[in-house]
Amino acid sequence: MIRYDLADAVATITLDRPDAMNSLTVEVKRALLDALRRAAGDRGVRAVLLTGSGRAFCAGQDLREHAANLEAGRGLAGTVREHYNPIVELIATMPKPVVAAVNGVAAGAGASLAFACDLRVASDRAKFALAFAGIGLAPDSGASWTLQRLVGAGRAAELMLLGEPLDATRALELGLVTRVVPAGDVLKAAHELAVRLASGPTLAYAATKRALAYAATHALPDALAMEADMQDSCAATSDHLNATRAFLAKEMPTFNAE
């Protein structure tokens, strides 16, 4: 139900339940977390690409499994804390860039997974839907944190409360996605972007992700102090030294994540 492929220092993780629109069962969520941990821990992986097979990116929670839990009196069965939260936290804090190739519908937790990624390339057939309120639930999988940082608090409230789907063009206008490409090109375009990131300054990317996350919830003096710490850390790397030498020599730098 999860495919994992490594090429060009990019780990491509594919949700592979096309007949169920890549909806998330406990089994899929566990496999996804394992795949993300594998990518995060592999020094040979310098960027991650997350996508879905078939006509959907991810339709969110598998509602058949969810309904069975409700009927049995198990409620959410702990899945938000046990599965969704670790997945989203790992995507957001992984010390390497994560690109989402949104090939189709991204709904509920599926949309939240895309929002947690650093960059999103969308098919012109993609649709985003914050469908939680429609089934009487509050948002999960980090959407309350990520969405308002992408589009602002007012727009995030509108999208979550009304639950109206967004097509790719509107998502681009709102800043939800990095770019929109024809449906047949989405995986190629996203992979090219991930390869570009994989050949870049991985350690600086990791520091940038940390600085952005920190600054989102701290005052300016604290953010400045964090920036200084991240600069000190990056300045001590061979990548920075070699890139500076390359710049002065008017050459293209090579980054080795060292």
Side-chain angles (χ1 to χ4, degrees), residues 53-103:
S53 62
R55 60 192 179 92
F57 175 76
C58 176
Q61 173 64 39
D62 185 305
L63 289 183
R64 292 183 183 275
E65 182 182 81
H66 177 62
N69 286 330
L70 293 178
E71 295 294 344
R74 292 191 293 268
L76 296 175
T79 195
V80 173
R81 291 181 177 85
E82 185 178 347
H83 302 125
Y84 286 121
N85 289 358
I87 288 169
V88 169
E89 187 171 0
L90 182 52
I91 291 172
T93 63
M94 189 182 300
K96 50 195 76 175
V98 183
V99 177
V102 185
N103 52 302

Side-chain angles (χ1 to χ4, degrees), residues 4 28-39 87 90:
Y4 186 101
V28 174
K29 285 174 278 193
R30 286 175 175 161
L32 176 57
L33 184 57
D34 287 345
L36 290 166
R37 285 172 172 162
R38 177 180 173 185
I87 288 169
L90 182 52

Side-chain angles (χ1 to χ4, degrees), residues 4-12 44-45 47 191 194-195 198:
Y4 186 101
D5 302 288
L6 178 58
D8 303 317
V10 175
T12 300
V45 172
H191 187 263
V195 169

Side-chain angles (χ1 to χ4, degrees), residues 169-239:
T169 299
R170 185 60 175 151
L172 183 63
E173 291 173 352
L174 293 178
L176 272 178
V177 299
T178 308
R179 65 185 67 164
V180 174
V181 299
D185 298 334
V186 64
L187 190 57
K188 179 177 181 289
H191 187 263
E192 288 174 350
L193 179 58
V195 169
R196 174 182 171 184
L197 291 167
S199 66
T202 307
L203 300 179
Y205 291 153
T208 300
K209 290 182 67 167
R210 286 188 62 188
L212 283 169
Y214 187 87
T217 55
H218 289 77
L220 177 59
D222 296 325
L224 291 172
M226 172 61 105
E227 286 183 349
D229 288 345
M230 295 298 95
Q231 284 280 41
D232 286 342
S233 175
C234 290
T237 65
S238 297
D239 274 353

